[in-house]
Amino acid sequence: MKILAFGKIAEIIGKPQLEVDDFPTTEILLGYLHQQYPALKNHKFSIAVNKKQVNGNAPIALGAEVALLPPFSGG
Amino acid sequence: MKILAFGKIAEIIGKPQLEVDDFPTTEILLGYLHQQYPALKNHKFSIAVNKKQVNGNAPIALGAEVALLPPFSGG
Amino acid sequence: MEKTRTPKNIFVEGAIAPEKIAKSIANHSSNTAIGGHSIFLGQVRADEKEGGHVRAIEYTAYEDMALQQAFEIREAVFAKYPLTCMHIYHSLGEVKTGEICLFVFTSSKHRKAAIDACEELVERIKKELPIWGKEILDNEQSEWKVNT
Amino acid sequence: MEKTRTPKNIFVEGAIAPEKIAKSIANHSSNTAIGGHSIFLGQVRADEKEGGHVRAIEYTAYEDMALQQAFEIREAVFAKYPLTCMHIYHSLGEVKTGEICLFVFTSSKHRKAAIDACEELVERIKKELPIWGKEILDNEQSEWKVNT
């Protein structure tokens, strides 16, 4: 599956897109990301599945668009 | 003394300025105006003395600028 | 050092042009401490009245008193909110429907002060400035505007 | 009959020009049911940071999500207030200090709806749209903006 990353989180990961295995839930995805990019533990970000922010542990359907969003700072 | 009139009140009086005797208070002035222009009784207006709205009966110093102000409708 | 402010003319003959508003906005780009601007514009409506529609409002004012009053409102609002700039313009004479008759513009470091001050200014201008609007109908009758 | 609204692009490349704002205002003169416009403008501040001053903000966004989110905010605000018109523009890319990066514009018959809706839109845009500002300092360092 494809993961989009923005802002500070994209900087930490080193790129704006990641290709990873299909993870069934956001919690499992988070575990993977924290293992691969330990610096993420020190930064706040939320996860959007199909362009909607999710709270807590949420399912990720096959083919869903997943994105890592640091705190918004528009305006 | 000179009395300025604006808006609807100027229309009722028929002119934007009146020359009247020196009245010592706004109450006496009002009595005179109501007598001269009975139609004023049916219209709301306030009195400004030296560019400040006054409440109730207020003294009018000699040479003060007196104005009759219908409800404001700017904007 | 506090800048001493003196009464400024707020009156504009006829409608306020959008280009004047653009110029006023552009003039603030050199003040890089500003983070937010709030603008209110009053526009003349073609309200339906007995006998016709409003086609224009003709504004008159007790100008001396209005300028003094506007100055006092200005000082009070500057004292209450941390503003960088404040501008007030009101039309005199005829303003046609669809045209702008009131332009209130506040700027501050953070948005909240600009937004709150602008709203308060609009309310006070309508309530406290000796200005009168006469609605001219398309049948050339007229009636005095009533603020709600 | 209700007009069906579809997502509109809110993004502008670079700063928002005062002339664009003037044109947007002028476009509303044909709608003579409008009595009041409320406008909010966000301007980039030259804040002092460790090592320098902000000289620009570089905006990026998760554009698809931002447009969908903006559409939902727009619908909710139209449902809540009796508005005639609503416009939202946000910059992408570099906006220098003193330049405009956000333009929110609401219009209604009576002023209160326009004023309240504009304020609510600004708050929701800042809180809910996936947009990020990177502050570029005059020493060419940068840091991610934090909204308060």
Side-chain angles (χ1 to χ4, degrees):
Chain A
M1 62 190 279
K2 193 177 73 174
I3 310 274
L4 304 172
F6 294 91
K8 182 74 186 169
I9 303 303
E11 276 187 0
I12 291 169
I13 289 177
K15 49 194 171 184
Q17 266 193 36
L18 273 183
E19 197 59 52
V20 300
D21 291 341
D22 289 337
F23 294 111
T25 69
T26 54
E27 203 166 89
I28 295 171
L29 168 63
L30 262 181
Y32 168 82
L33 290 170
H34 282 159
Q35 187 198 29
Q36 292 290 307
Y37 308 96
L40 283 182
K41 287 177 193 158
N42 306 319
H43 292 277
K44 241 181 88 175
F45 64 94
S46 63
I47 298 179
V49 177
N50 287 330
K51 305 184 190 91
K52 282 281 159 203
Q53 278 178 287
V54 298
N55 290 312
N57 190 19
I60 302 175
L62 274 179
E65 181 173 306
V66 174
L68 311 178
L69 314 175
F72 305 158
S73 56
Chain B
M1 63 190 276
K2 195 176 73 178
I3 311 273
L4 304 172
F6 293 92
K8 182 75 185 168
I9 303 303
E11 276 187 1
I12 291 169
I13 289 177
K15 49 193 170 186
Q17 266 192 36
L18 273 183
E19 197 59 49
V20 299
D21 292 341
D22 288 337
F23 294 111
T25 69
T26 54
E27 204 167 87
I28 296 171
L29 168 64
L30 263 181
Y32 167 84
L33 291 169
H34 282 159
Q35 189 199 26
Q36 293 290 308
Y37 307 97
L40 284 182
K41 286 179 194 155
N42 305 319
H43 292 278
K44 240 182 87 176
F45 64 95
S46 63
I47 299 180
V49 177
N50 287 330
K51 305 183 189 93
K52 282 283 157 201
Q53 278 178 286
V54 298
N55 289 312
N57 190 18
I60 302 175
L62 275 179
E65 183 172 307
V66 175
L68 310 179
L69 314 176
F72 305 158
S73 56
Chain C
M1 209 167 57
E2 284 283 314
K3 201 169 82 178
T4 303
R5 285 180 290 259
T6 49
K8 294 211 281 187
N9 192 12
I10 65 166
F11 290 115
V12 172
E13 194 54 40
I16 297 162
E19 294 71 31
K20 180 187 174 72
I21 298 162
K23 211 176 146 194
S24 195
I25 294 166
N27 282 343
H28 289 77
S29 67
S30 57
N31 190 332
T32 56
I34 294 173
H37 305 286
S38 186
I39 293 174
F40 178 82
L41 304 172
Q43 182 168 306
V44 175
R45 285 196 313 268
D47 279 358
E48 197 176 339
K49 302 279 167 175
E50 251 182 81
H53 284 83
V54 173
R55 69 154 186 79
I57 295 181
E58 169 103 25
Y59 287 101
T60 51
Y62 182 6
E63 292 186 46
D64 285 353
M65 179 175 161
L67 294 181
Q68 185 181 306
Q69 200 74 13
F71 176 67
E72 285 172 24
I73 292 171
R74 191 177 157 77
E75 290 299 296
V77 171
F78 258 124
K80 185 168 171 186
Y81 300 97
L83 296 179
T84 314
C85 305
M86 181 196 306
H87 302 278
I88 300 170
Y89 297 101
H90 196 294
S91 294
L92 284 185
E94 189 176 295
V95 182
K96 295 185 178 59
T97 53
E99 292 183 331
I100 307 292
C101 57
L102 173 62
F103 171 28
V104 180
F105 186 10
T106 53
S107 310
S108 57
K109 186 172 182 194
H110 298 289
R111 66 188 178 281
K112 187 141 182 55
I115 291 172
D116 291 351
C118 187
E119 180 168 10
E120 185 165 327
L121 280 169
V122 172
E123 297 305 319
R124 293 194 64 175
I125 287 164
K126 289 192 163 243
K127 200 179 290 176
E128 300 175 31
L129 296 193
I131 301 175
W132 298 275
K134 191 181 204 173
E135 295 169 327
I136 317 290
L137 308 189
D138 46 15
N139 66 0
E140 293 311 311
Q141 302 277 28
S142 67
E143 54 186 84
W144 291 96
K145 183 170 172 261
V146 176
N147 274 4
T148 48
Chain D
M1 210 166 58
E2 283 283 314
K3 201 168 82 179
T4 303
R5 285 180 290 259
T6 49
K8 294 210 281 185
N9 192 11
I10 65 166
F11 291 114
V12 172
E13 193 55 39
I16 297 161
E19 294 70 32
K20 181 187 175 73
I21 298 161
K23 210 176 148 194
S24 195
I25 294 166
N27 282 344
H28 289 76
S29 66
S30 58
N31 190 332
T32 57
I34 293 174
H37 304 287
S38 187
I39 294 174
F40 179 81
L41 303 172
Q43 181 168 305
V44 175
R45 284 196 313 268
D47 279 358
E48 197 176 337
K49 302 278 168 177
E50 251 181 82
H53 284 84
V54 174
R55 68 154 187 81
I57 294 181
E58 170 103 27
Y59 288 101
T60 51
Y62 182 7
E63 292 186 45
D64 285 353
M65 178 175 163
L67 294 182
Q68 185 181 305
Q69 200 74 13
F71 176 67
E72 286 173 23
I73 293 172
R74 189 177 159 78
E75 290 300 296
V77 172
F78 259 123
K80 184 168 172 186
Y81 300 98
L83 296 179
T84 314
C85 305
M86 182 196 305
H87 303 277
I88 299 170
Y89 298 100
H90 196 295
S91 294
L92 284 184
E94 189 177 295
V95 182
K96 295 186 178 60
T97 53
E99 292 183 330
I100 306 293
C101 57
L102 173 62
F103 171 28
V104 180
F105 185 10
T106 53
S107 310
S108 57
K109 185 172 183 194
H110 298 289
R111 67 188 178 281
K112 187 140 181 57
I115 290 172
D116 291 350
C118 187
E119 180 168 8
E120 185 165 327
L121 280 169
V122 172
E123 297 305 319
R124 294 194 63 176
I125 286 164
K126 289 192 162 244
K127 201 180 288 179
E128 300 175 31
L129 295 194
I131 301 175
W132 298 275
K134 191 182 204 173
E135 295 169 326
I136 316 290
L137 309 189
D138 45 15
N139 66 0
E140 294 309 310
Q141 301 278 29
S142 67
E143 56 186 82
W144 291 96
K145 182 170 172 260
V146 176
N147 274 4
T148 47

